[in-house]
Amino acid sequence: MRLLTPVLIGAVAAVSLSACSSAGEFDETGGVRITRSACPAVAVPTYTGDVTLFDPPASRDARAIDVTATITNLQSTCSGPTDPIRTNATFEVQARRAVAGPARDVTLPYFATVMRGGTTVVSKQVQQVTLRFAEGQLRASAMGSAGATVNAAAATLPADILEKVTRRRKPTDADASIDPMNDPATRAAVARASFELLIGFQLNEEQLRYNATR
């Protein structure tokens, strides 16, 4: 999947880490434990949440900007701990055109990619969202959606790794200040069990380069 390399790999890795654990929580004894969800993390990778259309298409002059659009208001629900685990996501695309004119439809493609461990593409779908600019209006918006299905066993940590990651730690414990993710074996096991649903505009190389360098 060329879209995810090399520009987006850092963003994917960050999403993968967020899927592993959440901030420490205090229990009733004053200890701390790390919580983890088997549900895929949902995010928009860096540089894919915006798209700019030009007229003429080959121009990159600011005066040639025709339409700009942004993915926003990303929300998700997860069916976990069912098997399979189903995640559904919705988002809004907000757009603006440079010149108010006749009514106009603009169709933009977007991808929904399921990643495992931040590096392996499990599946990818490309869909479309259509923005309808009313006559004389500069702005338009539309809703999009995507989903991911993950095998519960694949997203479940082995019992020994789960105990290391989620065990309650009291301030007096010898390993209270040691991050369990510092252990390579633990980190690798968590990565294998971590899935992400990544949503963004399906950009060509020129559009992706424009977003990365503007």
Side-chain angles (χ1 to χ4, degrees):
M1 183 179 176
R2 297 179 66 188
L3 178 64
L4 293 176
T5 57
V7 179
L8 302 183
I9 194 66
V12 173
V15 173
S16 179
L17 180 60
S18 69
C20 299
S21 62
S22 64
E25 295 180 353
F26 290 95
D27 67 13
E28 64 279 1
T29 66
V32 179
R33 64 187 178 95
I34 299 174
T35 59
R36 179 187 183 275
S37 172
C39 293
V42 180
V44 177
T46 304
Y47 306 131
T48 69
D50 302 275
V51 63
T52 302
L53 305 182
F54 292 86
D55 185 19
S59 175
R60 290 300 176 265
D61 192 306
R63 293 171 296 181
I65 292 177
D66 180 26
V67 175
T68 58
T70 301
I71 292 175
T72 187
N73 297 328
L74 179 63
Q75 301 182 41
S76 65
T77 58
C78 180
S79 67
T82 59
D83 188 15
I85 299 169
R86 176 70 184 177
T87 295
N88 294 305
T90 60
F91 57 92
E92 183 180 5
V93 176
Q94 297 180 351
R96 178 184 176 88
R97 58 178 174 174
V99 179
R104 175 187 176 190
D105 287 355
V106 175
T107 298
L108 300 173
Y110 66 91
F111 67 85
T113 299
V114 178
M115 301 285 293
R116 184 176 190 178
T119 59
T120 302
V121 177
V122 177
S123 65
K124 178 185 177 183
Q125 293 184 338
V126 177
Q127 303 178 62
Q128 295 181 331
V129 60
T130 297
L131 298 149
R132 292 183 169 85
F133 291 94
E135 182 176 1
Q137 296 299 308
L138 290 174
R139 298 183 181 275
S141 64
M143 297 299 296
S145 62
T149 300
V150 175
N151 181 274
T156 301
L157 287 174
D160 59 328
I161 300 296
L162 183 64
E163 195 279 334
K164 288 183 180 180
V165 173
T166 63
R167 182 175 62 83
R168 290 178 172 84
R169 291 171 173 81
K170 296 181 180 180
T172 55
D173 290 345
D175 62 349
S177 62
I178 299 176
D179 184 350
M181 295 298 291
N182 287 336
D183 176 28
T186 300
R187 188 164 58 248
V190 171
R192 286 192 299 270
S194 297
F195 292 82
E196 305 85 44
L197 172 59
L198 305 179
I199 299 169
F201 287 116
Q202 181 67 22
L203 306 176
N204 58 37
E205 290 186 5
E206 182 61 29
Q207 289 172 322
L208 187 58
R209 187 179 303 111
Y210 175 81
N211 282 358
T213 58
R214 63 180 178 176

